[in-house]
Amino acid sequence: MRAARSIQLFAVGLLVGCGTTHRNGGAISGCGSGFLQPGDQTVMLPFGGVARDYILHVPTGYDGNSPVPLVLDIHGLTSNAFEQELLSGWRQKADASGFIVVYPDGLNASWNGGSLCCGTSQMNGVDDEGFLRTVVAKVSQDGCIDPKRVYATGLSNGGAMSHLLACRAADLFAATAPVSMGNGTMPCQPSRPLSVIMFRGTSDLLVPYAGGTFPGAQADFDQWTELDHCTGAPETTQGICSTNKQCAGGAEVSLCTINAGHVLYAQAAAQGAPVPDVVWEAFQSHTLP
């Protein structure tokens, strides 16, 4: 059903020369060359010889007259964009804070998130970094996006992609927030220091907090602290995060620990630290140089 709707949207998009359709049937122009209005749109985007897609959520109150931030929220293995939108809480945060959020779909419900993860996309060497760069370019063309305030977050396999984008796409993303995943990008060589805000659950059986197949939470924190040339001792922020703010280029590295399992959004909210709230507060402090 959803695939059929996406194909229909793609066909209509070709007719109007924009590649998107709008839930309410109208359109307004922004500082980009295309048209966006508040609500959800499914956008088809040819890449790598296949038709790929993403859900685009434009916040209530968006008028296209002023540049707004963009957040990519990336789903986990065997999941999809629709499920991630329902799960993570970023749609509600976007409406409350006035930024655009994109939920991209991985091929075969997976992402090539580095040397350790995951599924057929990783095994087949799918260029998901290239796809996500193209998504950002497409949204920037269609809407009014602040190019200095583009961010990425994601769950599990999507968290692996968030690490990968920090390692390889620091020219495009101002900060990233991996959730429930260790950094499997080898080598990780960011082009500049950038902020990484990590969420990990202490009772996660798939990606254990202490490490295993994937790096543990402390190992990731130590790695990003070294990559960002941080000094001094970390401080406690938001009541759950260990944060080092004394890093090169004004970057910060945070490890936010939740008493939860792998899919920790609901538990984080119940413990008074919703992932979008904690991450967005950090994201707002960081822009591209």
Side-chain angles (χ1 to χ4, degrees):
M1 183 73 175
R2 185 169 172 272
R5 178 172 177 267
S6 295
I7 292 170
Q8 182 182 23
L9 288 171
F10 182 54
V12 175
L14 288 177
L15 290 175
V16 301
C18 179
T20 62
T21 60
H22 308 282
R23 187 174 58 186
N24 298 322
I28 59 174
S29 61
C31 58
S33 61
F35 307 92
L36 295 180
Q37 69 178 34
D40 278 14
Q41 310 158 36
T42 298
V43 182
M44 295 297 295
L45 181 63
F47 181 82
V50 297
R52 301 195 61 169
D53 67 273
Y54 57 88
I55 295 173
L56 175 69
H57 179 76
V58 179
T60 304
Y62 172 87
D63 61 11
N65 292 323
S66 301
V68 299
L70 171 64
V71 174
L72 270 60
D73 185 18
I74 309 168
H75 68 75
L77 183 66
T78 75
S79 187
N80 57 52
F82 178 74
E83 291 177 352
Q84 184 67 12
E85 183 179 21
L86 294 179
L87 182 67
S88 69
W90 277 101
R91 176 179 60 191
Q92 294 83 354
K93 191 65 180 177
D95 284 338
S97 299
F99 58 86
I100 290 175
V101 59
V102 163
Y103 304 90
D105 264 318
L107 288 179
N108 298 311
S110 64
W111 298 99
N112 181 11
S115 304
L116 300 177
C117 181
C118 291
T120 58
S121 290
Q122 192 266 341
M123 289 187 291
N124 294 333
V126 174
D127 181 14
D128 280 321
E129 176 194 344
F131 170 60
L132 295 177
R133 284 180 177 272
T134 303
V135 169
V136 172
K138 172 63 174 168
V139 178
S140 299
Q141 175 186 1
D142 290 346
C144 194
I145 302 300
D146 185 342
K148 290 184 176 292
R149 294 188 292 167
V150 178
Y151 308 96
T153 184
L155 171 67
S156 191
N157 192 181
M161 280 305 304
S162 301
H163 278 296
L164 184 144
L165 294 173
C167 295
R168 298 181 180 174
D171 60 303
L172 180 61
F173 293 91
T176 74
V179 177
S180 298
M181 179 53 72
N183 186 8
T185 302
M186 303 175 189
C188 180
Q189 299 173 327
S191 59
R192 63 172 182 86
L194 82 166
S195 296
V196 179
I197 303 96
M198 297 167 281
F199 268 77
R200 296 289 289 268
T202 55
S203 56
D204 189 339
L205 300 180
L206 292 177
V207 183
Y209 189 89
T213 302
F214 304 102
Q218 188 61 49
D220 278 331
F221 182 81
D222 292 344
Q223 181 191 36
W224 280 111
T225 296
E226 180 178 353
L227 288 168
D228 282 346
H229 308 291
C230 303
T231 60
E235 59 185 82
T236 300
T237 58
Q238 302 288 338
I240 59 163
C241 304
S242 179
T243 302
N244 196 321
K245 297 185 177 183
Q246 302 177 57
C247 307
E252 67 181 75
V253 177
S254 291
L255 171 60
C256 305
T257 301
I258 299 293
N259 181 19
H262 190 64
V263 182
L264 51 70
Y265 295 108
Q267 292 95 328
Q271 293 172 44
V275 172
D277 289 355
V278 173
V279 172
W280 183 243
E281 183 172 330
F283 278 176
Q284 290 184 92
S285 300
H286 303 286
T287 63
L288 281 181

